[in-house]
């Protein structure tokens, strides 16, 4: 057994390099000194890579300390290094590889006052600075050019590496990137586009909302960081040993491991290249749009627990993203929820059934959110006050409560109106979804081609009605958001399932009912039904219908029954999200079938009323004998792409807080009402 510790021997430690370098070249690397600015994502792995190549002298600079957000990519980030200076951690890691290495620390980073000292007697500069540190980056590269020091910048873009080499007496950093005189946001775009003129990584950017150059945020990966160190190490060998061709700027290099593609070319004149300037103009606009629609944390991580619970619970689904609830916080563990059923909405039916189901989904989301803080949820329905249904909620601390397994999926649950894969659901997946509905609701699957076509046709009938009546048109005008990919109070137009050309025509027609009516009469609704109903209806894993096992015992129990059903449906939806499935509810057929079955005068169009009656008959024939028991329907499947598409987000909590009233006043008034005992919460297994 080898004794410990082993005496260090440079020649033996790096002997396996010999062959790719000669023994003399290895000794040359030992004599070289490299300056590395930044010890984060790429800088830290640059240092360790060069130490293993045998380079034995470094200047390293970084003013930052490790934190949890560094764990995805930074080689020095571990639980034991949180809060420690990055230069100290990386220097120790380097000395654990080569105890003879000579490292000079610059623990306050680089500034104009210490650039010369940082670059003093170094043979090469490697840029590991944060992407957005362009001011000091430009100054360091400018000084390298003045001092005749070769310099390399490498950026981890996606799961690849883009890099440029700047050699003495060749094109400089500023001549290539053209940053001087630009606003910071445009400097970031110039740097980004100059690093990777081919943009290989853009093809698999799955969530564009995470790209926010104006906000100085962007996604990263350890794959890219490791590749950066690899390609930079190869260039270091060529530069320090003076062998092999160094392809310096304006030659650029990008290797993307995810796409298995290599791009190398000459960007003549750098960002002044005419074609590049045209691309930059497009990129300025595109990146500005991305910044406006950038990702925001789904819930706050500070403040009172009751507000943090509500901040996550607001991600519950509601028809057309109306969010028909307001919260009154009445203490550290009590909330009154006010739910308002839309009076002027053709999509409401059965006394506000869809809104009450959504309110039940809200209660289940509150229950899941409360589990994060070791709380259970109790609620009691208090009846109607004015236009509002009232629900009192208590969020009590309880021993042994662990975070619900569905907690992480609350803000990921969304509606996907695109076609899905046709891969059938497995028996295990169906069982998990059925269990989520508990004992109160029954799910029925509609999977075969004939069943899927029948369901698609039912949805198409509903679409034909809603596109032809002015009452639905007014709702569509109100709820469609044409400006934003992420809408806090409406539905983004890009999420309705129509192609760009149809959306342009639709936007024009939505300006006026007469215009829309003429368009429908001239062209019909087949094109819209094809895109929104028939093709997606066939392209899915399965359709489903959910019915009540038993009707409420009395009218007094109808609202609590719907709230309980909504709780189960939200658990069903969150379970589908956890399984990786995507879903689109289909409530329009239920709405118009209800109107038709009860002979409701929901529109002035007699033909549409007759079509609703026919839809009710078709739905009853196709699905259930007792149509009143049918609560929910939709389609499920595996998404064809995981790329994040336009979606509805939510109003900020501040807009949903209706009032903050003194709990003592509320409690005294409530005690006079002698409320019935709230139903117990359903335990999460």
């Amino acid at each position: 057994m080898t004794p410990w510790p082993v005496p260090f021997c440079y020649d033996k430690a790096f002997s396996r390099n010999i062959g790719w370098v000669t023994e003399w070249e290895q000794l040359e690397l030992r004599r070289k000194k490299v300056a590395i600015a930044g010890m984060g994502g790429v800088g830290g792995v640059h240092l360790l890579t060069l130490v293993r190549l045998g380079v034995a002298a470094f200047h390293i600079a970084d003013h930052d300390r490790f934190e949890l957000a560094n764990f995805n990519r930074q080689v020095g980030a571990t639980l034991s290094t949180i809060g420690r200076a990055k230069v100290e951690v990386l220097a120790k890691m380097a000395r654990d590889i080569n105890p003879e290495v000579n490292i000079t620390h610059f623990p306050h980073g680089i500034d104009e006052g210490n650039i010369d000292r940082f670059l003093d007697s170094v043979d090469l500069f490697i840029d590991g600075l944060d992407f957005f540190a362009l001011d000091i980056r430009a100054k360091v590269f400018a000084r390298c050019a003045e001092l005749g020091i070769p310099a390399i910048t490498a950026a981890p873009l996606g799961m690849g590496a883009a890099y440029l080499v700047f050699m003495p007496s060749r094109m400089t950093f500023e001549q290539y990137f053209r940053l001087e005189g630009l606003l910071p946001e445009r400097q970031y775009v110039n740097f980004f586009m100059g690093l990777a003129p081919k943009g290989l990584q853009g093809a698999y950017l799955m969530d564009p909302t995470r790209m926010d150059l104006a906000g100085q945020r962007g996604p990263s990966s350890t794959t890219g960081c490791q590749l950066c160190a690899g390609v930079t190490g190869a260039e270091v060998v060529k530069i320090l040993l003076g062998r092999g061709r160094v392809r310096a700027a304006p030659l650029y290099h990008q290797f993307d491991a995810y796409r298995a593609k290599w791009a190398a070319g000459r960007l003549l004149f750098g960002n002044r290249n005419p074609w590049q300037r045209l691309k930059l103009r497009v990129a300025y606009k595109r990146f500005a749009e991305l910044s406006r629609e950038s990702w925001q944390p789904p819930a706050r991580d500070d403040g009172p627990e009751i507000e943090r619970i509500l901040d996550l619970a607001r991600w519950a689904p509601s028809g057309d993203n109306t969010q028909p609830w307001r919260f009154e916080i009445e203490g550290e563990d009590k909330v009154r929820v006010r739910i308002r059923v839309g009076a002027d909405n053709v999509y409401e039916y059965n006394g506000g059934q869809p809104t009450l189901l959504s309110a039940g989904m809200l209660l289940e989301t509150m229950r899941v959110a409360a589990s994060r803080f070791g709380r259970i949820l109790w609620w009691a329905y208090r009846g109607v006050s004015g236009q509002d249904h009232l629900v009192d909620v208590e969020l009590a601390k309880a021993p042994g409560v662990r975070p619900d397994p569905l907690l992480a999926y609350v803000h990921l649950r969304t509606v996907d109106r695109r076609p899905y894969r046709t891969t059938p659901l497995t028996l295990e997946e169906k069982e998990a979804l059925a269990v989520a509905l508990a004992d109160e609701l029954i799910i029925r699957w509609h999977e075969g081609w004939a069943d899927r076509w029948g369901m698609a046709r039912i949805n198409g009938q509903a679409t034909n009605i809603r596109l032809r009546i002015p009452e639905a048109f007014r709702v569509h005008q109100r709820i469609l958001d044409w400006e934003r990919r992420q809408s806090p109070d409406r539905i983004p137009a890009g999420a309705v399932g129509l192609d760009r050309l149809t959306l342009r025509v639709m936007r024009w027609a939505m300006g006026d009912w007469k215009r829309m009516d003429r368009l429908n009469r001239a062209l019909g609704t087949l094109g819209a039904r094809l895109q929104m109903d028939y093709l997606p209806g066939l392209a899915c894993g399965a359709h489903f219908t959910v019915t009540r096992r038993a009707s409420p015992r009395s009218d007094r129990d109808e609202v609590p029954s719907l709230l309980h059903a909504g709780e189960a449906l939200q658990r069903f939806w969150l379970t589908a999200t956890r399984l990786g499935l995507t879903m689109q509810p289909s409530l329009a057929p239920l709405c118009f079938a209800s109107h038709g079955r009860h002979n409701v005068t929901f529109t002035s169009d007699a033909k549409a009323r007759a079509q609703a009656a026919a839809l009710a008959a078709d739905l009853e024939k196709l699905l259930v004998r007792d149509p009143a028991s049918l609560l929910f329907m939709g389609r499920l499947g595996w998404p064809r792409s995981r790329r994040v598409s336009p979606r509805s987000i939510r109003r900020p909590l501040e807009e949903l807080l209706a009032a903050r009233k003194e709990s003592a006043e509320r409690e005294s008034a409530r005690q006079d009402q002698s409320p019935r005992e709230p139903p117990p919460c359903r335990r999460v297994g």
Side-chain angles (χ1 to χ4, degrees):
M1 186 174 179
T2 305
W4 182 262
V6 176
F8 179 77
C9 171
Y10 180 94
D11 292 339
K12 187 170 185 178
F14 304 110
S15 61
R16 295 295 179 92
N17 291 336
I18 307 303
W20 301 117
V21 297
T22 67
E23 292 183 78
W24 181 86
E25 287 175 327
Q26 186 68 70
L27 294 175
E28 276 296 289
L29 290 174
R30 188 178 188 181
R31 296 175 54 245
K32 300 298 182 181
K33 182 187 294 185
V34 176
I36 305 175
M39 288 288 106
V42 291
V45 72
H46 281 325
L47 174 64
L48 301 188
T49 299
L50 297 191
V51 170
R52 293 189 188 280
L53 278 173
V55 178
F58 297 91
H59 289 179
I60 61 173
D62 200 309
H63 63 84
D64 206 1
R65 294 177 179 271
F66 284 113
E67 57 186 23
L68 201 60
N70 303 146
F71 275 40
N72 78 310
R73 69 200 182 282
Q74 298 193 15
V75 68
T78 64
L79 287 174
S80 63
T81 62
I82 288 180
R84 293 177 58 190
K86 292 182 179 180
V87 288
E88 294 179 4
V89 171
L90 268 300
K92 182 180 184 304
M93 293 176 73
R95 292 189 178 103
D96 280 346
I97 299 168
N98 179 1
E100 298 174 355
V101 71
N102 180 4
I103 299 178
T104 301
H105 298 193
F106 289 77
H108 302 294
I110 309 173
D111 54 41
E112 292 186 71
N114 67 5
I115 289 178
D116 281 358
R117 189 159 56 90
F118 177 69
L119 296 176
D120 182 39
S121 71
V122 303
D123 300 288
L124 176 68
F125 166 67
I126 297 178
D127 173 20
L129 291 165
D130 182 270
F131 178 92
F132 299 100
L134 288 184
D135 182 58
I136 192 62
R137 174 181 278 112
K139 290 174 181 176
V140 175
F141 273 93
R143 191 60 179 142
C144 285
E146 293 169 354
L147 296 173
I149 299 172
I152 303 173
T153 185
L157 298 181
M159 299 183 192
Y163 68 98
L164 290 149
V165 181
F166 294 92
M167 296 296 288
S169 304
R170 301 285 296 275
M171 176 176 269
T172 66
F173 181 91
E174 174 58 31
Q175 288 170 343
Y176 183 88
F177 285 108
R178 301 290 170 176
L179 306 181
E180 190 173 340
L182 295 179
L183 293 172
E185 292 84 355
R186 293 201 167 188
Q187 288 187 4
Y188 303 146
V189 176
N190 274 37
F191 187 51
F192 186 91
M193 297 292 289
L195 280 166
K198 294 294 185 182
L200 300 180
Q201 73 288 342
Y204 57 92
L205 177 63
M206 302 304 288
D207 188 351
T209 67
R210 302 303 178 107
M211 182 67 74
D212 179 13
L213 295 189
Q216 298 190 3
R217 292 182 301 184
S220 59
S221 80
T222 187
T223 305
C225 293
Q226 298 289 336
L227 287 170
C228 281
V231 296
T232 299
E235 295 295 334
V236 167
V237 168
K238 290 192 289 183
I239 292 170
L240 294 186
L241 298 180
R243 72 178 213 195
R245 179 188 173 193
V246 177
R247 296 170 174 82
L251 295 174
Y252 62 85
H253 317 261
Q254 186 178 5
F255 172 67
D256 194 285
Y258 185 87
R259 298 184 65 191
K261 287 192 174 183
W262 168 263
R266 181 186 300 272
L267 188 61
L268 195 62
F269 310 123
N271 279 336
R272 285 185 62 192
N273 182 288
W275 177 241
Q276 182 75 352
R277 291 174 67 180
L278 180 61
K279 292 198 297 184
L280 284 169
R281 290 179 61 182
V282 175
Y284 293 148
K285 182 178 179 181
R286 176 58 178 153
F287 280 110
E289 291 173 350
L290 289 176
S291 292
R292 285 195 297 270
E293 298 287 337
S294 63
W295 176 86
Q296 299 296 327
R300 62 181 64 172
D301 56 6
D302 57 2
E305 284 187 5
I306 191 75
E307 292 189 13
R308 295 170 68 182
I309 291 169
L310 295 177
D311 201 41
L312 185 57
R314 66 192 172 92
W315 287 89
S318 59
D320 299 330
N321 199 26
T322 53
Q323 301 159 72
W325 37 70
R326 295 297 181 267
F327 306 118
E328 294 176 1
I329 298 177
E330 301 181 329
E332 65 177 15
D333 59 1
K334 292 182 175 64
V335 180
R336 169 160 283 190
V337 183
R338 292 180 171 269
I339 304 114
R340 179 163 298 182
V341 176
D344 183 25
N345 191 333
V346 70
Y347 291 109
E348 286 289 2
Y349 60 95
N350 284 354
Q353 178 174 305
T355 295
L356 293 170
L357 287 174
S358 290
M361 294 180 184
L362 171 71
L363 293 172
E364 181 62 24
T365 312
M366 290 176 67
R367 187 195 313 278
V368 172
S371 71
R372 178 185 177 191
F373 302 97
R375 296 174 183 252
I376 57 174
L377 179 145
W378 302 75
W379 63 262
Y381 176 62
R382 299 303 185 189
V384 179
S385 174
Q387 296 178 289
D388 298 338
H389 291 271
L390 304 181
V391 180
D392 286 334
V393 176
E394 182 176 348
L395 300 157
K397 291 278 189 180
V401 177
R402 299 178 62 82
D404 193 290
L406 299 176
L407 179 66
Y409 300 93
V410 165
H411 71 282
L412 298 181
R413 180 221 53 79
T414 188
V415 176
D416 190 345
R417 299 172 179 86
R418 299 172 294 183
Y420 313 151
R421 299 182 186 276
T422 56
T423 306
L425 275 66
T426 66
L427 290 175
E428 291 80 5
E429 289 157 356
K430 291 180 185 177
E431 178 63 22
L433 292 166
V435 168
L437 290 174
D439 297 328
E440 301 168 17
L441 304 178
I442 303 171
I443 189 167
R444 178 183 172 193
W445 299 101
H446 310 269
E447 300 176 90
W449 190 92
D451 277 357
R452 282 183 283 143
W453 168 248
M455 296 295 286
R457 188 174 58 82
I458 288 289
N459 282 289
Q461 287 177 263
T463 293
N464 187 51
I465 295 172
R466 59 194 173 110
L467 292 183
R468 291 184 180 276
I469 61 175
E471 293 81 4
F473 173 81
R474 288 192 291 270
V475 176
H476 300 160
Q477 272 190 319
R478 189 167 62 243
I479 60 108
L480 284 177
D481 192 332
W482 295 96
E483 304 300 331
R484 293 172 290 193
R485 286 176 52 88
Q486 299 183 92
S487 181
D489 55 1
R490 288 175 284 170
I491 299 173
V496 299
L498 296 172
D499 61 44
R500 291 185 180 182
L501 178 59
T502 306
L503 281 174
R504 288 183 180 180
V505 175
M506 182 178 172
R507 184 172 189 178
W508 169 81
M510 288 295 295
D512 178 75
W513 165 245
K514 291 182 179 179
R515 191 183 297 169
M516 175 66 78
D517 190 38
R518 286 196 300 269
L519 183 67
N520 285 335
R521 292 178 186 275
L523 300 179
T525 63
L526 179 59
R529 284 181 285 155
L530 187 67
Q531 292 188 56
M532 293 195 297
D533 301 306
Y534 298 139
L535 293 179
L538 293 173
C540 64
H543 289 261
F544 64 89
T545 51
V546 176
T547 55
R548 282 195 264 208
R549 190 176 295 276
S551 299
R553 288 172 293 182
S554 67
D555 291 343
R556 184 171 175 266
D557 294 327
E558 174 66 10
V559 173
S561 175
L562 289 173
L563 294 175
H564 278 300
E567 289 180 295
L569 288 170
Q570 175 67 340
R571 197 151 195 89
F572 170 86
W573 203 338
L574 290 173
T575 300
T577 304
R578 180 179 63 82
L579 293 172
L581 296 164
T582 194
M583 188 172 110
Q584 179 187 4
S586 302
L587 295 186
L590 298 182
C591 166
F592 292 115
S594 176
H595 291 334
R597 185 166 54 252
H598 296 105
N599 200 26
V600 175
T601 307
F602 64 95
T603 177
S604 57
D605 189 326
K607 183 178 179 181
R609 294 199 300 272
Q611 290 172 336
L615 172 60
D618 289 347
L619 189 62
E620 183 174 349
K621 180 180 178 181
L622 181 66
L623 301 178
V624 291
R625 293 181 179 178
D626 179 14
S629 68
L630 181 58
L631 287 181
F632 200 73
M633 57 188 286
R635 64 188 182 98
L636 278 166
W638 302 99
R640 292 183 177 181
S641 170
R642 294 287 178 185
R643 189 184 298 272
V644 174
S645 60
R647 64 166 298 187
S648 297
I649 51 177
R650 297 296 180 269
R651 297 175 186 268
L653 179 61
E654 289 71 21
E655 293 184 19
L656 300 176
L657 291 173
R660 298 171 183 265
K661 301 189 177 181
E662 294 294 333
S663 59
E665 176 186 341
R666 278 298 199 180
E667 281 300 314
S668 61
R670 196 174 302 173
Q671 287 172 4
D672 295 336
Q673 298 174 10
S674 299
R676 63 180 178 177
E677 285 297 313
C681 69
R682 198 163 33 239
R683 282 300 181 97
V684 177

